[in-house]
Amino acid sequence: MFGRGAMDDKGPIIGALWALYAIKELSFPVKRRIRILFGTNEESGMKDMHYYLEHGGEIPIMGFTPDGEFPIVAYEKGQLHVRIKVPFIQPNNSKALLLGICGGTVPNVVPSEAEAQIRFFDLSEKQKILNAFKKVARKKGIKIAVNAESEIATIKVSGVAAHGSTPELGVNAIANLLYLLGYSIDEDWGESLRGLSGYFYGDVNGVNLGIFLEDELSGKLTCNLGQINFEDGCLSLILDIRFPVSFKSEDVILSLESLSQKEGFSLNILRKKAPLNMPKDSILIKKLQKVYEEKTGQEAKLLSMGGGTYAKALPNIVAFGPKFPESPDVAHQADEFIDLEEYLKILQIMGAAMVELAN
């Protein structure tokens, strides 16, 4: 079955309804009520669940959200969206000026496109820089397209999109564009871009920013440079940072504040979400492990993920399915699909989990 959300998360939503319907029709005995809460704002801040809780919504004793992977996602990294503004000065005697730079649509997606506009005041300088673009791009394998028919040249860089929680699976067009400009422009502002690119080019773990963290449960911090714009004499960058479950957001923010003070950047925290760290010996985990192992015959290992789910919005919830370990990850991608045989298996596991938790 193909379609946007077939795997993430419209397919599982309809599947949960069918699972509950089957429990009702087959008269499975349950000791507690089973409710399905439908959220529609999971990708954009989970404001619906905040509203639900603030207006007296009933809090479940325990539950799961089919918005991750099997066997069980017990650990979800914390998340920060951070805006960094970098003062960007271009001397009046420059032979080339940066008119604009932009890239990315949302912070939590690795940008697949970025572009810059440059005005040239010297034709010989223009040709020199255009040649440098091609040389650097060829050396580093950066995909570019240049339109330079007038004194204003547009440079477009193509990358590969990926989810912001797994930036290592993509190619960041913004980071590549900053590197390309920084190592091609023989101006003071080109040197500034070179220094800025050093924080992001080839680094998706925040090492160069000084925010790298790692733990045994959830692995390494990731940092995605998701958006860039040139406004009011500043370069505005938005970062999507996912930090390991053993740490707090302040562990990252303090390091960023130190860097900002040192470099003269301004820092604004746009989003802050605590990590999820469900104890492995909790009743919820034990019950879901029992169901998964009975239905699949496979060990129900505990997983970690960088992505965030509604498990962070309500207490005592974890992500459980729908993706099986051997299945391709097609969420947020073109031609998203779910295998129908797997879909029926997912429904059976969800139904069994509902009955197990309700007893």
Side-chain angles (χ1 to χ4, degrees):
M1 178 169 61
F2 288 84
R4 181 70 175 91
M7 175 66 79
D8 178 30
D9 204 37
K10 297 179 180 70
I13 282 175
I14 301 303
L17 279 174
W18 277 108
L20 189 58
Y21 177 75
I23 293 169
K24 175 178 175 290
E25 290 298 300
L26 295 172
S27 299
F28 279 108
V30 293
K31 297 178 181 178
R32 296 184 181 275
R33 288 181 299 113
I34 302 172
R35 298 185 67 198
I36 299 176
L37 301 181
F38 295 95
T40 58
N41 191 239
E42 181 264 326
E43 297 284 357
S44 307
M46 306 186 192
K47 298 180 183 69
D48 48 0
M49 286 300 142
H50 299 322
Y51 181 93
Y52 174 83
L53 293 174
E54 289 168 1
H55 290 76
E58 184 180 9
I59 299 175
I61 294 172
M62 65 179 68
F64 64 90
T65 174
D67 189 27
E69 300 180 34
F70 287 124
I72 304 164
V73 179
Y75 317 110
E76 294 185 17
K77 290 179 178 178
Q79 183 184 30
L80 286 168
H81 282 179
V82 178
R83 176 183 283 116
I84 294 176
K85 283 197 172 184
V86 182
F88 192 70
I89 300 172
Q90 301 181 84
N92 293 329
N93 61 349
S94 297
K95 296 180 180 180
L97 286 178
L98 181 69
L99 299 181
I101 185 170
C102 63
T105 55
V106 289
N108 64 342
V109 173
V110 176
S112 60
E113 295 182 349
E115 68 174 59
Q117 293 80 39
I118 300 173
R119 181 188 294 275
F120 293 97
F121 300 102
D122 185 298
L123 291 179
S124 61
E125 184 70 11
K126 173 184 174 181
Q127 194 56 51
K128 175 185 173 183
I129 291 176
L130 292 180
N131 290 338
F133 283 153
K134 295 174 183 177
K135 182 179 179 181
V136 173
R138 188 165 51 248
K139 181 179 179 181
K140 293 296 182 178
I142 299 174
K143 294 183 179 181
I144 66 168
V146 179
N147 184 341
E149 295 180 359
S150 66
E151 73 277 7
I152 298 176
T154 299
I155 301 92
K156 293 185 178 181
V157 170
S158 297
V160 177
H163 196 281
S165 64
T166 53
E168 70 278 4
L169 300 181
V171 177
N172 195 305
I174 297 175
N176 280 358
L177 177 59
L178 290 175
Y179 184 93
L180 181 72
L181 295 174
Y183 283 86
S184 302
I185 305 291
D186 187 20
E187 299 276 357
D188 289 344
W189 61 268
E191 186 174 339
S192 297
L193 292 181
R194 188 185 314 162
L196 190 60
S197 74
Y199 291 119
F200 306 104
Y201 180 79
D203 179 15
V204 297
N205 300 115
V207 174
N208 296 335
L209 284 169
I211 60 173
F212 177 76
L213 298 169
E214 183 177 12
D215 69 14
E216 188 175 345
L217 291 176
S218 57
K220 299 177 180 179
L221 174 148
T222 61
C223 178
N224 176 52
L225 172 53
Q227 291 176 281
I228 189 171
N229 283 290
F230 187 24
E231 52 191 28
D232 301 326
C234 290
L235 293 175
S236 175
L237 293 75
I238 300 182
L239 314 181
D240 180 1
I241 300 167
R242 314 289 175 114
F243 57 92
V245 300
S246 301
F247 297 90
K248 298 179 180 179
S249 59
E250 285 71 20
D251 295 319
V252 179
I253 294 172
L254 287 174
S255 296
L256 286 174
E257 287 176 341
S258 176
L259 176 68
S260 297
Q261 292 172 4
K262 175 184 174 183
E263 299 292 347
F265 305 159
S266 67
L267 186 68
N268 186 19
I269 308 302
L270 306 178
R271 177 186 291 183
K272 182 165 61 172
K273 289 184 179 180
L276 172 71
N277 188 348
M278 186 65 65
K280 63 181 180 180
D281 56 354
S282 68
I283 295 175
L284 173 61
I285 293 297
K286 294 299 183 184
K287 284 183 171 287
L288 293 180
Q289 284 179 320
K290 176 177 178 288
V291 169
Y292 183 80
E293 291 175 356
E294 287 178 351
K295 291 297 181 182
T296 67
Q298 300 174 354
E299 182 185 358
K301 298 179 180 179
L302 302 185
L303 307 177
S304 68
M305 66 185 292
T309 73
Y310 276 123
K312 288 181 178 176
L314 293 169
N316 216 21
I317 307 287
V318 294
F320 184 56
K323 180 186 171 299
F324 287 104
E326 65 275 8
S327 302
D329 187 0
V330 296
H332 292 236
Q333 297 186 30
D335 298 324
E336 183 177 341
F337 71 92
I338 192 167
D339 180 271
L340 290 180
E341 288 187 11
E342 285 191 359
Y343 191 42
L344 291 176
K345 193 174 181 180
I346 292 165
L347 267 59
Q348 292 170 357
I349 294 174
M350 283 200 292
M354 290 178 187
V355 172
E356 183 67 27
L357 296 183
N359 284 304

